[in-house]
Structures are given as C-alpha cells and as structure tokens.
Amino acid sequence: MNTLILAIKNIFKNRRRTVITFLAITSGMTGLIVFGGYMEFTFMGLRESTIRTQLGHVQVAKKGYFEKGLANPGKYLIRESESVERVLARMPEVKLVTSRLTFSGLISTGERTLSCKGFGINVAEESAGDMNTFETVVDGQQLDESTGPGDGVVGVELMKALGAKVGDYLTLLTTTIDGTMNALEFKVVGVAETGSKEYDSVFVKLPLPFVKRLVNCNAVEKFMVLLNDTDDLGKATKRINGLLATDLQGMEYRTWSELADFYLKVERLYRGIFDIIIFIVGVIVLFSIANTITMSVFERTREIGTLRAIGTTRLGTMRLFLTEGILIGIIGGIIGVVVGIMVAYAINFSGGIYVPPPPGQNRGYLAMVLIVPQVILYAFASIVGVSALSSLYPSFKASRLKIVEALHHI
Amino acid sequence: MIELRDVTKDYRLGETTVQALRGVTLHIKEGDFVSVCGPSGSGKSTLLNLLGCLDMPTSGMVLLMEKDVADFRDSELSRLRNNTIGFIFQSFNLIPVLTSFENVEYPLLISKTGKKERKQMVARMLDEVGLSKFAKHKPDQLSGGQRQRVAIARALVTNPRVVLADEPTANLDSATGHEILELMKKMNEDHRTTFIFSTHDAKIRGYASDVYTISDGRIVQ
Ligand SMILES: Nc1ncnc2c1ncn2[C@@H]1O[C@H](COP(=O)(O)OP(=O)(O)OP(=O)(O)O)[C@@H](O)[C@H]1O
Ligand SMILES: [Mg+2]
C-alpha cells in the first residue's frame, strides 16, 4: 500500500518526464487502437461479403462433396432437393436457403469463344434476401423478378474480352451430366463487377432452371444457408447436427469459415501485421519507460540509500520502482485507451479512411474504425506487460545498490 | 551492547587501497551518549556505517547485542536496521515527496505496524520533537533544523536500541546545532536509547558522556 502511494507521488514529482512518457505510450496505444479497429472493420466487411454473396453461413451437400466434389460434381448431385430445402428453411435462425448448380464450359458470341464458369441461382429467393449485393451492376441490371428464364449476368472483364454488350445473345457450351455436349443461348441483361478481376473474367450467372437444362439434370450440388445473424452460427450448426441423423441422412455441412480460404488468409496476414506493430510500439514504450525508471533510480540514489538504511529490504526497493514502472504503463495505457477511442470516433465521424483498391480488386472503399473491446484489451495488456518488463532491470539495479555508496551519492 | 573487535576497513580505489579503519576495538553500553570525534578523513563515517550494519568490515567482528552481524542475511540486516537501529544523517535525507508525518511513519510501514498504533506513535513522536504543527509539511517547506527534527522523530519512532548520527549538525548553524544536540540528549534520557554521533566540532562534543577520538583509522583515546 505504501509502495503504491510512494510510487504515485514519485511519478507526479517529475511532471515533464512523466508527460513525455505518457505521450509515448498514448500515441502508441492510439495507433494500436485505430489500426486494430480498422483491421476489424476490414475483417467484418470481408467476412460479411464473403458470407452473404459467395458462401452463405452454412453449406449443405452430399457426404464427400466438399472433399472430392469439385473434380466430379455429377457424383454428388442432390436430386431430392425440395425436401432438403424445406427442412433447412424450417430452422428459426435461417433467413434464406438457396442452392447452386455449377458448370464450366465455353461462352461464345459467334466470333469469339472463351472459357467460363457458370452457376445457377434461385433468382427469386436471392434477390429477396439481397444475396447479390456483393456484385455491383455496372451496366444493365441484376437478375430479379423482372428478368426472364433465359437471361443472365456476365462478369465485366469477360464481357470486355468477348466484346459483347447488354442485350446481346451469347451461347454457352458444356458437357451434360451424361457426357454429351449441349449448347444453349441466353441474353445478357447485366454486367457485374465483384472487385476480384480474376472472378470477373470468368463468371456467368444464370437462373437455376436454365443451368439444369444446360447440364440436363434436375438436381443441385449444394445448398447455401444464410442466417439472420452471423452470431447465430453456433445455434444453427447444432440444429443441423441433429438433423444429420434424421432428415438429412447422407449429407454433410461446412460452415463459412471452413470454406473461406481467402478470408482466413487475409485475417492471418493482418493479425501478423498487427502483432508486428504491437511489437514496434512495445519496443518504443519499453525504452521510454526503462529510461524514465533508470533516471528516477539515478536521481533518487541517495533516497534509495536512506530507504535501505531505515530498513527497506532489497525486494521492497525493487518493488518500489517496479510499481512505478507498471503504474506508468497502466495510467499511460488508460489515457491511451481514452484518446484512442476518441480518435477512432473522430475518424468515423469525419467519414472514415479512404482505402485505395487492394491488389486484385478494382474498387477502393471508405474504412471505419471499429471499437473492439478485445483489440483494446490486447493492446492495453501488451503495454502493461511491457512496462513491467522494462522496469525490471533498473529496479533490480536499484535494489542491488550498496547502501553506503548510495548514501554518498550527490 | 555494540562491540567492535579489532575491526579494519579497506576501500579499494583502483590500484590503491585506502585503509579507513586500522584495528578498532570498542564497546558501547546501553544508554550511552557517545561521540566519535576526529578530523576529516579520519574514518568516523566508516566507523558509524559499520556500527549501523550498512557495511561489512574487511576484518574483525561487529557484535550487535552479542551477535556477530556477519552471520545475518541481507533481509535480516534490513529488519535489524528497521527495528533496532535509528539513523540521522548530515543532510537529513528525508523523502522529498512525503510529508513530515509520512516520513516519520515510513519505518513503521516497513515493520507493518497496525494503522491505529502507527498513527498514534507518529503523532506522539512529532509532538516530542515539537513539530505537531508541521505534520502536513513537505521537507522543502521546513527549515534545516526542523528537517533534522523530523529525521530524529523518524529515527526514534520504532523505539530502537541505538541511534547513529553521522555529523548531524554539520549542515546547521551553531545555534540550531545545539538545539538538535539538546533534543538528542533529551531523547537519550527519556527513552534510554543509546546515541552514537560523530562530529569534528569541539563544542558539540561536550554533550557526550563518552568521547572516542579517532585519527587516521585508529581510536586514539
Ligand atoms: N567509498 C569509499 N571509497 C574509497 N575510499 C573511501 C570511501 N569512503 C571513505 N573512503 C576513504 O576512507 C577514509 C575515511 O573516510 P570517512 O568518510 O570514514 O572519514 P570521515 O572521518 O567521515 O571524514 P569526514 O569528516 O570528511 O566525513 C578517507 O580517506 C576516505 O577517503
Ligand atoms: Mg564523514
């Protein structure tokens, strides 16, 4: 107790030095909070867009599909699709269930032919559940109630490469489920952009019945289940686990995180960068607190001698300076949290940070700074940990001073 | 109560060795008011440091209440200094950030004395040195004499067996110096606490019941 009081009094004795130390900690903390919050915003955006437009929260397919289905989708087709869809749609957490049937083949204007990847969607459900907001329609329109059964949307890069325009009729060529060739014509009603150039140069989006006709099979490959809230995922998978034994025998499921390879890679990369930044800030804080405590020990050498003479143990002496260092870390950390949150609010209030298009994408965006308790706690704990670490050595030195020599120090 | 047996103390200064004490034997009895006198550099401080267990002799024995202090561990020496020895320094050595009250209280915090008892002891001690009104003052708001009074209160608050004072009046004017010696003498009589102080001031020496004169590391009288 007296250690704490003495430490506080000594911290505020040398105001200027303390303020400089706090400044270092506070700017470091602010940096961490803003970057961490920006990072979380990016995760959230990427996560939600990945889920809502590409993967759904949960995908359900025939057992084995997720491992071997890509090479041979014909083997894992779900023919009893309506009953499965009904079972899934009955779950209370579910917003919408849609299915996919994909194919790869060629797309042709008659003059020019390119390869493409097509997929069929349930137009009515998906447009009602805004599953297609991921893509931005740059020309024409999205597939919705107003479009016909033979209308499709094509990726912007693919359109450019084909030299086609909205309203053109294009031919799709692929092998059917039983191995014969089939060709069907569709009308381009829209051109869309997803942000990924690679994807934009291959995708063709069509109504599911059209794709069923093209590959000559009345089945789907997988179901995509979209929940009302990403936080409901645990509840939903629990329920599906129960259903696997009854209504969904012979099926399996994957959650979005098991399928979102790209998202997980991005997250790992960012977290790695965040740790490096924490490390750099940590080193700065380390030196600044170590410097403060070393100066404090030096200035108060005679006081240390006195304290030792009147009976303070070595451990007690060490504790005194250690407390001082940790306290600087804690107080500086708290100021840093407050300032960091204020800066984050200021950034959000002013409209966010403009981020230029990331590699492989063609759209920039405005990033907000999310205030995430875990990030703040992580940054705070790191700073306090560093402050303890940095005062360890000078405190130890203080406790080992020879009393007589310390008393003679001017 | 405190005994030195043929104590020497050498300081190494690079290549050379300074022999600060060259075989000192003395015995100080309980309740004595002892002065150690001698010119500058004669070894007074060195002697008091050894008596106060702040340093260890190069050879010989320091006995505190019949026990050889060389046998104690550092933590035990700390406890010993806290309980049985009081210190008064030439330049007062108060903790600048603490008030008079808190300075006097500090040794009791180290010994983990209960709060109520502690507050009483500190108040009584400040009263004895005549500084009750200055309990809330910080050292830099006090005069030299007042500071030394706080230091005396701090040295005596744990009710030690012996108080060591290395030139307690050297930083004070002569009138204040006499007051401080009067106070120490009074404390010696009231509490039966042994006092050992060093000085090179012949007038101050007069307060002592026993005078050891030291010259060039040896007791000469
Ligand atoms: N830490 C030290 N290192 C080296 N030599 C020292 C040290 N402390 C004291 N000495 C030497 O030991 C001798 C005795 O010193 P000491 O301080 O005991 O004398 P003193 O009688 O207290 O003198 P003063 O009246 O000036 O305080 C001196 O020659 C001094 O230079
Ligand atoms: Mg001296």
Side-chain angles (χ1 to χ4, degrees):
Chain A
M1 192 56 201
N2 63 79
T3 306
L4 196 65
I5 290 168
L6 195 57
I8 292 173
K9 288 186 169 167
N10 276 309
I11 287 174
F12 291 103
K13 188 176 68 163
N14 197 323
R15 291 247 167 84
R16 196 160 51 126
R17 193 168 62 214
T18 306
V19 164
I20 291 171
T21 315
F22 282 165
L23 227 59
I25 300 171
T26 303
S27 29
M29 281 288 290
T30 304
L32 290 181
I33 288 171
V34 170
F35 180 73
Y38 158 71
M39 179 181 85
E40 291 295 331
F41 175 83
T42 310
F43 290 167
M44 188 188 74
L46 190 58
R47 184 172 61 227
E48 292 299 313
S49 80
T50 306
I51 291 170
R52 300 210 175 262
T53 61
Q54 290 184 296
L55 299 173
H57 287 99
V58 184
Q59 296 192 354
V60 178
K62 277 259 163 70
K63 211 172 241 159
Y65 172 82
F66 292 109
E67 289 209 6
K68 293 167 279 189
L70 226 56
N72 188 6
K75 205 178 145 201
Y76 299 97
L77 291 174
I78 307 163
R79 286 172 208 280
E80 59 284 10
S81 64
E82 269 137 46
S83 66
V84 173
E85 188 170 342
R86 229 175 295 122
V87 167
L88 291 171
R90 262 209 308 271
M91 302 199 309
E93 295 84 9
V94 169
K95 183 174 179 189
L96 87 96
V97 179
T98 178
S99 45
R100 284 277 184 276
L101 185 59
T102 60
F103 67 91
S104 50
L106 299 171
I107 186 165
S108 175
T109 58
E111 282 159 26
R112 213 171 292 175
T113 302
L114 293 168
S115 66
C116 71
K117 282 191 171 159
F119 60 97
I121 66 159
N122 298 23
V123 174
E125 279 96 331
E126 295 193 22
S127 64
D130 341 293
M131 233 180 130
N132 44 25
T133 47
F134 177 49
E135 308 145 354
T136 319
V137 173
V138 292
D139 196 6
Q141 66 165 121
Q142 188 55 270
L143 292 184
D144 58 28
E145 288 90 345
S146 68
T147 54
D151 294 345
V153 169
V154 181
V156 60
E157 300 293 324
L158 183 56
M159 279 299 269
K160 257 188 233 162
L162 287 166
K165 59 184 188 305
V166 171
D168 284 1
Y169 285 84
L170 302 178
T171 307
L172 287 166
L173 193 71
T174 189
T175 43
T176 64
I177 201 82
D178 20 66
T180 58
M181 296 299 279
N182 193 12
L184 276 178
E185 200 171 62
F186 76 100
K187 184 180 159 197
V188 180
V189 293
V191 179
E193 171 181 89
T194 59
S196 158
K197 273 199 167 143
E198 247 171 81
Y199 192 63
D200 288 349
S201 58
V202 292
F203 89 86
V204 181
K205 183 162 140 182
L206 297 152
L208 188 62
F210 183 94
V211 179
K212 282 181 176 171
R213 213 142 41 86
L214 184 66
V215 297
N216 190 27
C217 127
N218 183 25
V220 299
E221 278 168 41
K222 63 183 176 190
F223 287 97
M224 287 161 53
V225 179
L226 200 65
L227 306 177
N228 290 316
D229 192 333
T230 306
D231 293 339
D232 288 339
L233 187 63
K235 268 193 270 171
T237 53
K238 218 177 196 174
R239 219 183 282 278
I240 296 173
N241 274 328
L243 290 172
L244 288 179
T246 56
D247 291 330
L248 300 179
Q249 265 179 18
M251 311 282 279
E252 63 176 355
Y253 73 91
R254 291 282 189 277
T255 60
W256 70 271
S257 62
E258 294 169 293
L259 300 164
D261 203 35
F262 177 70
Y263 169 78
L264 293 178
K265 273 185 191 144
V266 170
E267 179 171 346
R268 209 172 313 134
L269 174 73
Y270 266 91
R271 293 218 189 273
I273 295 173
F274 189 59
D275 281 337
I276 292 171
I277 295 179
I278 284 210
F279 178 78
I280 294 168
V281 170
V283 169
I284 295 168
V285 169
L286 187 101
F287 282 115
S288 116
I289 294 182
N291 176 59
T292 302
I293 301 300
T294 307
M295 303 251 292
S296 182
V297 168
F298 182 78
E299 282 166 11
R300 284 157 60 202
T301 301
R302 216 159 57 131
E303 186 180 318
I304 294 167
T306 310
L307 291 173
R308 294 279 285 124
I310 65 177
T312 308
T313 55
R314 279 184 178 150
L315 209 67
T317 311
M318 190 161 160
R319 200 158 48 210
L320 206 60
F321 288 95
L322 211 55
T323 308
E324 223 168 284
I326 294 172
L327 221 56
I328 290 175
I330 290 175
I331 298 173
I334 290 171
I335 300 174
V337 168
V338 172
V339 173
I341 290 174
M342 274 168 19
V343 169
Y345 268 117
I347 290 172
N348 292 345
F349 189 72
S350 70
I353 312 163
Y354 175 73
V355 181
Q361 309 224 341
N362 38 27
R363 271 185 289 164
Y365 59 97
L366 277 175
M368 297 289 148
V369 180
L370 291 191
I371 293 168
V372 184
Q374 286 96 309
V375 170
I376 294 174
L377 217 65
Y378 185 47
F380 182 75
S382 309
I383 295 301
V384 174
V386 162
S387 67
L389 201 71
S390 55
S391 37
L392 210 57
Y393 182 69
S395 307
F396 176 76
K397 290 294 265 189
S399 75
R400 292 281 142 170
L401 285 173
K402 289 219 170 75
I403 302 173
V404 173
E405 281 169 26
L407 281 170
H408 271 271
H409 196 268
I410 314 108
Chain B
M1 168 211 169
I2 299 190
E3 209 181 328
L4 297 191
R5 286 190 196 155
D6 201 22
V7 163
T8 71
K9 179 71 185 177
D10 297 347
Y11 290 111
R12 288 200 63 86
L13 260 181
E15 294 292 286
T16 60
T17 306
V18 182
Q19 292 184 292
L21 294 179
R22 305 166 187 247
V24 173
T25 300
L26 55 79
H27 189 130
I28 292 159
K29 292 188 295 301
E30 182 108 47
D32 276 1
F33 199 71
V34 179
S35 166
V36 178
C37 299
S40 184
S42 55
K44 304 183 292 294
S45 295
T46 306
L47 181 66
L48 261 69
N49 289 341
L50 293 177
L51 293 171
C53 306
L54 298 176
D55 209 352
M56 287 295 163
T58 307
S59 71
M61 240 195 249
V62 179
L63 296 154
L64 198 65
M65 286 166 288
E66 278 85 53
K67 285 192 208 104
D68 186 350
V69 300
D71 295 338
F72 288 111
R73 277 181 293 146
D74 191 80
S75 58
E76 291 167 331
L77 286 176
S78 295
R79 179 137 29 89
L80 195 72
R81 285 195 299 268
N82 184 228
N83 299 332
T84 31
I85 308 174
F87 289 91
I88 299 170
F89 303 92
Q90 179 178 334
S91 32
F92 327 126
N93 289 19
L94 299 176
I95 311 300
V97 294
L98 300 182
T99 63
S100 306
F101 192 96
E102 290 164 336
N103 263 288
V104 177
E105 192 181 19
Y106 206 89
L108 297 176
L109 290 170
I110 297 171
S111 62
K112 301 204 163 64
T113 309
K115 188 173 176 184
K116 205 170 147 219
E117 191 189 356
R118 197 171 73 216
K119 302 283 178 198
Q120 277 174 0
M121 287 163 93
V122 175
R124 194 176 336 123
M125 214 59 237
L126 279 174
D127 187 40
E128 277 190 61
V129 300
L131 285 179
S132 294
K133 285 209 187 74
F134 295 88
K136 292 216 164 67
H137 286 58
K138 296 246 174 87
D140 58 9
Q141 299 164 320
L142 298 173
S143 71
Q146 287 170 328
R147 288 184 213 183
Q148 200 59 304
R149 283 167 187 272
V150 175
I152 291 171
R154 179 178 67 182
L156 283 156
V157 76
T158 55
N159 205 11
R161 305 286 291 272
V162 56
V163 171
L164 298 163
D166 193 4
E167 308 206 31
T169 60
N171 281 5
L172 300 171
D173 62 66
S174 104
T176 317
H178 280 283
E179 276 171 40
I180 290 298
L181 254 296
E182 291 286 356
L183 180 62
M184 283 167 53
K185 184 79 193 160
K186 179 172 165 290
M187 291 296 184
N188 165 254
E189 281 157 9
D190 292 355
H191 296 265
R192 301 297 311 144
T193 309
T194 312
F195 271 77
I196 305 169
F197 68 97
S198 72
T199 183
H200 49 239
D201 184 341
K203 279 173 279 172
I204 295 293
R205 192 186 318 167
Y207 288 92
S209 54
D210 271 311
V211 178
Y212 291 95
T213 305
I214 190 167
S215 170
D216 209 10
R218 287 198 182 84
I219 304 276
V220 290
Q221 181 219 325

